[in-house]
Amino acid sequence: MPENRANWRQPGPQKSEFGSRAEGLFSVWDHDLRLVDCSEMLKERLDLADEAPVTLADVYPDLANPDLAALVQLVVSSGKPRTIRLRSHESDRRNLLLFQARDGLAIVEVGGNDIDTAKAQELDRALLLHQATHDVLTGLPNRRQFSDKLGKILPVRAKAGLALMQIDLDDFKPVNDTLGHGAGDIVLKLAAERIRKALGKDETAYRLAGDEFAVIQIARGQPDEAEKLAESLISEFRKPFTVDGITVFVGASIGVAIAPRDGNESEQLMKAADVALYAAKKDGRRRARTFNPSMLQVLEQRELLRRSLRVALQHHEFFIEYQPLVDRSMAIAGFEALLRWRHPILGVISPIAFIPMAEADGLMSEIGQWVLEEACRQALTWPANYTIAVNLSPAEFLTPGLTDRVSQTLDVVGLPSERLELEITETVLLERTINNLDTLNTLNVLGIQISLDDFGTEYSSLSYLKNFPFDNIKIDKYFINDLPGDQKSQTIVRFVIEMAHGLGMRVTAEGVETAEQAAWLQAEGCDRLQGYFLSSPLGADMVDEFIRKHSDDGPGMTGPNAER
C-alpha cells in the first residue's frame, strides 16, 4: 500500500469530534495535496477500492482552478482557515472549510446552496474543536482527546481486548541539544508518521507531550496482539531518521497495559503502562515490556530508596572506602575514594544502584562535594607523596562552578593540588565539548591530575586523548580479566600502554585480581595497578594499618595475604 494511503485504515472522526455533517465528509491531505485520511462516508463516495494515490483535484476538481488553488496553498502555508464555495453543479453546491493540519490540509465539507449563520457557526466549531483536540505539530489527537477516549471506553468487560501503550522516544534530547529544536520537531513529525504507519483498524495514536506518545488498541487475543504491535513499532524506530541530510538514531521504549487485567479505570491503567515503560527503560531501552505486578513492587522499592536518598547525607549515612593504588614496584602511590551508602534498613547499597538516582534528582553535586572534602581531609593524614583519586559523575562534572568549588575545597582543607586526582568517564565528553575542554584545562592549570576512567568501554574516541589534557588513563577491568592468557586482551592492553606513554600519560590497570595479571602488567610497563589482588577497598579506620604494614614489609611484599 502506498505510504500516503497508510492511514485509511484508521477510523474517521467521530460525531462528538466534528459534528454530524463533518463526521460524514472529512478529509486530510499531505503537503503535496495527496489524500492521507478521510471519513468512512467520503471513502464510500470516492470508491477507494484500488491502490492508486488520490489527489485533491481528483476529489474536488474545482480546486484546480488557479484562483482557488492559490487559496488552498495560502491555507497550507499560513495556517489561516478559509471557506470555499464550490459551484460545479447548480443542484449540488457544496461548501468546504479548509484549515491547516498534519503539515498539510484538512477539509470539512458541508452541503447546501448557501452558508447561513448556523452553518458558518458549525464550521467554526468544527475547526476550533479540531484545533483543541489535535496536536498542532504532528496532527495526532492530543492528550485531551486521549483522556476523553480512555474515560469513555473504560471500564470494560473481561476479554474486551483493550490495550494501552505508552511510548517514549530514546535519545531524543541529544537531537534537540546538538541540532536544535527545529530538527527535533522534524523528528517528532517523522516519529508520528512511523507510529501511524504501523497502526491498523481500531488502533489510534496520540501525542501526549514532548516526545511522549500513546496508542489505544482494541483487538481480541490480548496481550499477544498488543505485544505484536509494540514489537512492530520498536522495529520501525530501529531505522534511522534523516534530518537536513544528517542521519540520527532515535529509538522507542514502550510500556503495555491490558484492561481490565491491569486496571479498569484511566488512572490505574495509565499507571500500569507507565510502570511497564519504566521497566523497558531500565532493561536497556529500545524495547517493549508488558505490565506485571512484580514491576510495581520494584518501582515502589525504588521510590522508597529515592526518598531515603534525599536525606541520606543529612543523616550521615554515606561513607567512603579507599582502595590502594600501587606503582610498578608495588609501592603505594595513593588511594581511590569509593562512595558507599549504608541504608538504615537495607544495609550497604551499591553505588550502581543509587548514583544514577542521585544524578536524576539533582543530588549529585551536593553528595560529590561531601566526598571531595571528606577524601581530601583523609588524605592529609597520609604520607605526603600519596595521592587521592576522586570520581566525578557526569552530572557533577557538568554542573556550573565545578572548578571554583574544587579550588576552594583544596584551600579550605589545605591539601596540595598535585595530590588530588579527579577521575571522569568518557560519557561526560559527549556533551558541551567546548565547556568540557575549558573545565579540564582550568583544573590542569590548578595542578590537579585528570584521569580518564574505564577507557575502552564506552566511545573511546582517540580524539579525546589528543584534545583533552589527561594525565592518566585507566584501563577497564574488562580488558584485564583474561590476562595474561588471552592474545587479544594482551594486544589491546599493550597498545593502550604504548599509546599513553607516547602521549606523555600514565596508565593504571583496574581489576587486577591475580599475581599473573600483576606480573604481566609490570613487565609491560603499566604504571599503576589497582584491584583485589592488592587489596579490597578499606574503611577509613583500616587505611593507617594498611599503610603501616606495607611500610614494614617494604615494596613488593603486598599481596592478598592480609588485605582481603
Side-chain angles (χ1 to χ4, degrees):
M1 177 176 290
E3 185 174 345
N4 67 306
R5 300 289 299 278
N7 289 304
W8 293 357
R9 297 173 294 167
Q10 296 184 8
Q14 299 299 308
K15 182 176 297 186
S16 60
E17 185 181 347
F18 292 106
S20 59
R21 290 183 177 88
E23 176 195 20
L25 299 166
F26 179 82
S27 56
V28 177
W29 309 80
D30 66 18
H31 203 274
D32 296 319
L33 301 181
R34 293 174 301 189
L35 186 63
V36 173
D37 192 11
C38 67
S39 58
E40 293 296 333
M41 187 178 294
L42 190 56
K43 284 183 193 179
E44 293 174 5
R45 192 177 83 185
L46 298 176
D47 189 20
L48 298 178
D50 58 43
E51 299 297 320
V54 176
T55 67
L56 186 63
D58 294 333
V59 180
Y60 301 111
D62 285 10
L63 297 182
N65 175 285
D67 292 336
L68 295 183
L71 291 178
V72 170
Q73 289 301 329
L74 185 62
V75 172
V76 173
S77 60
S78 70
K80 186 176 180 180
R82 184 175 294 271
T83 300
I84 295 178
R85 180 178 299 176
L86 304 183
R87 297 178 178 273
S88 297
H89 304 283
E90 290 295 326
S91 61
D92 183 25
R93 292 180 179 177
R94 285 172 285 167
N95 305 297
L96 306 180
L97 173 63
L98 283 68
F99 53 94
Q100 191 183 62
R102 299 188 188 179
D103 198 26
L105 181 73
I107 298 178
V108 177
E109 180 181 333
V110 179
N113 292 332
D114 297 294
I115 298 182
D116 57 24
T117 301
K119 288 177 180 175
Q121 290 176 346
E122 182 180 2
L123 291 175
D124 288 341
R125 284 196 300 272
L127 171 60
L128 292 173
L129 192 54
H130 182 271
Q131 292 174 333
T133 57
H134 285 74
D135 174 53
V136 175
L137 179 66
T138 64
L140 290 177
N142 61 13
R143 180 180 285 275
R144 173 182 172 179
Q145 194 173 160
F146 168 77
S147 299
D148 288 346
K149 176 71 171 179
L150 210 54
K152 288 173 182 175
I153 60 179
L154 291 176
V156 297
R157 291 177 294 180
K159 299 182 180 180
L162 173 64
L164 170 62
M165 301 178 204
Q166 299 275 36
I167 305 170
D168 192 76
L169 302 189
D170 300 320
D171 299 319
F172 175 72
K173 184 177 182 296
V175 175
N176 266 342
D177 292 344
T178 59
L179 301 180
H181 289 279
D185 286 348
I186 292 173
V187 169
L188 289 173
K189 287 192 280 189
L190 294 173
E193 287 303 321
R194 289 192 184 184
I195 295 173
R196 283 195 195 100
K197 185 178 179 180
L199 300 185
K201 185 180 179 182
D202 295 328
E203 296 169 353
T204 309
Y206 304 82
R207 184 187 179 200
L208 302 185
D211 61 346
E212 301 172 16
F213 298 83
V215 170
I216 295 176
Q217 179 196 55
I218 300 174
R220 295 186 179 275
Q222 299 291 12
D224 291 347
E225 289 302 315
E227 290 171 352
K228 287 178 185 177
L229 176 58
E231 287 304 322
S232 176
L233 289 167
I234 295 295
S235 297
E236 281 294 320
F237 280 89
R238 290 195 181 103
K239 305 169 187 174
F241 292 86
T242 302
V243 180
D244 297 330
I246 300 172
T247 299
V248 297
F249 288 87
V250 175
S253 296
I254 301 177
V256 180
I258 308 299
R261 185 192 71 183
D262 303 327
N264 212 8
E265 57 90 23
S266 297
E267 186 174 346
Q268 189 179 23
L269 193 63
M270 288 175 65
K271 181 179 180 181
D274 277 335
V275 170
L277 175 60
Y278 170 79
K281 294 278 191 182
K282 187 173 182 292
D283 288 347
R285 305 190 303 173
R286 299 176 186 266
R287 64 197 66 209
R289 290 290 180 266
T290 301
F291 176 80
N292 66 64
S294 65
M295 292 178 179
L296 186 58
Q297 294 174 0
V298 170
L299 187 61
E300 288 172 346
Q301 291 172 358
R302 180 180 175 83
E303 289 306 308
L304 173 63
L305 205 61
R306 173 173 274 114
R307 290 193 294 272
S308 299
L309 183 60
R310 289 188 171 276
V311 297
L313 190 59
Q314 289 76 15
H315 292 176
H316 308 290
E317 294 169 6
F318 291 121
F319 66 99
I320 299 175
E321 292 186 329
Y322 299 89
Q323 187 164 38
L325 294 154
V326 302
D327 62 22
R328 207 178 308 173
S329 69
M330 303 297 278
I332 297 176
F335 294 83
E336 179 180 356
L338 302 171
L339 175 64
R340 302 288 187 257
W341 178 20
R342 184 178 289 108
H343 190 279
I345 298 174
L346 302 175
V348 177
I349 299 171
S350 168
I352 297 174
F354 72 82
I355 285 182
M357 265 191 280
E359 289 185 322
D361 289 353
L363 304 175
M364 205 57 227
S365 181
E366 185 181 2
I367 295 172
Q369 177 60 31
W370 177 84
V371 173
L372 178 64
E373 187 169 340
E374 185 75 11
C376 287
R377 292 189 187 281
Q378 179 74 18
L380 275 179
T381 68
W382 305 337
N385 62 314
Y386 287 7
T387 61
I388 177 66
V390 177
N391 292 277
L392 289 179
S393 74
E396 188 181 1
F397 183 84
L398 296 172
T399 302
L402 170 68
T403 54
D404 290 339
R405 286 188 282 109
V406 172
S407 178
Q408 290 169 7
T409 300
L410 292 175
D411 289 342
V412 169
V413 174
L415 184 75
S417 59
E418 63 270 15
R419 292 187 59 190
L420 175 62
E421 181 175 324
L422 296 177
E423 297 188 5
I424 66 171
T425 62
E426 295 169 81
T427 306
V428 305
L429 304 179
L430 294 178
E431 299 183 38
R432 304 197 308 176
T433 302
I434 295 176
N435 289 346
N436 289 344
L437 184 58
D438 289 344
T439 298
L440 292 176
N441 280 331
T442 302
L443 293 171
N444 184 261
V445 169
L446 291 173
I448 297 166
Q449 303 290 298
I450 308 296
S451 183
L452 181 59
D453 200 9
D454 299 334
F455 183 76
T457 60
E458 294 288 341
Y459 303 91
S460 301
S461 171
L462 297 182
S463 65
Y464 298 155
L465 305 182
K466 179 178 182 293
N467 296 321
F468 294 99
F470 294 113
D471 301 286
N472 182 56
I473 295 175
K474 298 191 76 172
I475 304 177
D476 189 76
K477 63 182 181 179
Y478 173 81
F479 301 102
I480 307 301
N481 288 339
D482 296 328
L483 290 177
D486 183 68
Q487 184 66 40
K488 291 182 179 179
S489 295
Q490 285 186 13
T491 300
I492 292 171
V493 173
R494 188 179 289 120
F495 165 75
V496 174
I497 292 172
E498 292 177 358
M499 176 187 63
H501 288 170
L503 295 170
M505 303 175 188
R506 296 190 311 271
V507 178
T508 300
E510 297 182 292
V512 180
E513 297 192 350
T514 69
E516 291 77 16
Q517 290 171 344
W520 189 90
L521 290 163
Q522 286 174 298
E524 292 297 327
C526 187
D527 301 287
R528 296 191 302 187
L529 310 180
Q530 178 181 5
Y532 275 77
F533 171 68
L534 309 162
S535 174
S536 60
L538 304 167
D541 58 339
M542 299 173 60
V543 172
D544 289 343
E545 176 63 20
F546 180 86
I547 293 173
R548 185 195 62 75
K549 185 178 187 308
H550 186 275
S551 300
D552 292 343
D553 290 344
M557 299 300 293
T558 58
N561 300 331
E563 290 83 353
R564 280 188 179 272

